[in-house]
Amino acid sequence: MARIPYFDLAQAPADYLERLKGRPPLNLYRMLPHAGPSASNGFLALGSAILRDNALDSRLREIVILRVGLLSGASYEVHQHKRVARKVGLAEDKIAALEPGADQSALSPLERSLVAFTDEVVHRVKASETTFNALAAQLSHRELSEVLLTIGFYMLVSRFLENLEIDLEPPGAIS
């Protein structure tokens, strides 16, 4: 059960409700308006840019998101993004390989570099020169920048979800 009540969306600003159109009815979106209109709208805008206006392959993006969620112990985030990862074509063996300590042999060299980079940024803030260079050699500057924004954004999302104990939606609520 969430630590604070969900926001009454009937009281949400019109521009926030407009941004929700076409999005699944996630409990996350019922909690965000507590942060105020500017923060809520900014959150949705950045999240939308990461998910919808990306140069980074969507499967690679989902690897980053799932790894951040797993490292953060964010069960809601992991649950939601396993669904998204499957929709964008990420294979089950690759999803399983993202668990900390799992065998990563199902991952490509690029995917393994991405996991190592994500781990270092989450744990140490700044990736080592070796890890950074290994990933930078395989991605464009835009893709590398998107990876960093994705890591940071989903660290924020995971902490918001976990600290407010946002509930998973009931089965069948999200397709």
Side-chain angles (χ1 to χ4, degrees):
M1 185 155 159
R3 286 178 159 175
I4 63 175
Y6 291 99
F7 194 90
D8 178 3
L9 289 181
Q11 304 299 314
D15 58 342
Y16 181 77
L17 296 174
E18 184 64 30
R19 286 186 183 272
L20 289 182
K21 285 186 177 176
R23 293 175 186 256
L26 300 177
N27 285 335
L28 168 62
Y29 302 146
R30 295 176 49 221
M31 195 62 81
L32 270 174
H34 284 301
S38 294
S40 298
N41 285 325
F43 179 101
L44 291 177
L46 181 55
S48 183
I50 288 169
L51 294 172
R52 293 174 181 80
D53 186 24
N54 52 310
L56 185 68
D57 181 278
S58 295
R59 290 169 298 215
L60 296 177
R61 180 198 69 223
E62 290 305 315
I63 286 171
V64 171
I65 294 169
L66 285 170
R67 188 63 175 195
V68 169
L70 289 162
L71 293 175
S72 299
S75 57
Y76 182 103
E77 190 60 35
V78 171
H79 174 81
Q80 295 299 352
H81 276 274
K82 280 185 177 180
R83 180 181 52 81
V84 175
R86 290 178 186 108
K87 280 186 176 181
V88 299
L90 194 62
E92 289 297 328
D93 60 341
K94 291 181 184 267
I95 293 171
L98 299 174
E99 291 282 345
D103 175 10
Q104 293 186 354
S105 61
L107 302 177
S108 72
L110 170 57
E111 292 164 342
R112 285 193 298 275
S113 291
L114 193 59
V115 168
F117 183 83
T118 301
D119 287 2
E120 287 190 21
V121 172
V122 168
H123 292 302
R124 297 186 195 119
V125 179
K126 183 177 181 182
S128 69
E129 194 76 19
T130 301
T131 303
F132 180 90
N133 289 339
L135 187 61
Q138 301 175 78
L139 298 176
S140 70
H141 293 161
R142 178 175 173 177
E143 290 168 323
L144 184 58
S145 295
E146 287 180 7
V147 167
L148 284 162
L149 288 176
T150 301
I151 293 168
F153 183 75
Y154 282 92
M155 288 176 67
L156 164 69
V157 173
S158 294
R159 280 139 185 85
F160 189 81
L161 292 166
E162 287 301 306
N163 281 284
L164 294 177
E165 295 182 2
I166 296 174
D167 303 296
L168 277 174
E169 293 76 19
I174 309 298
S175 56

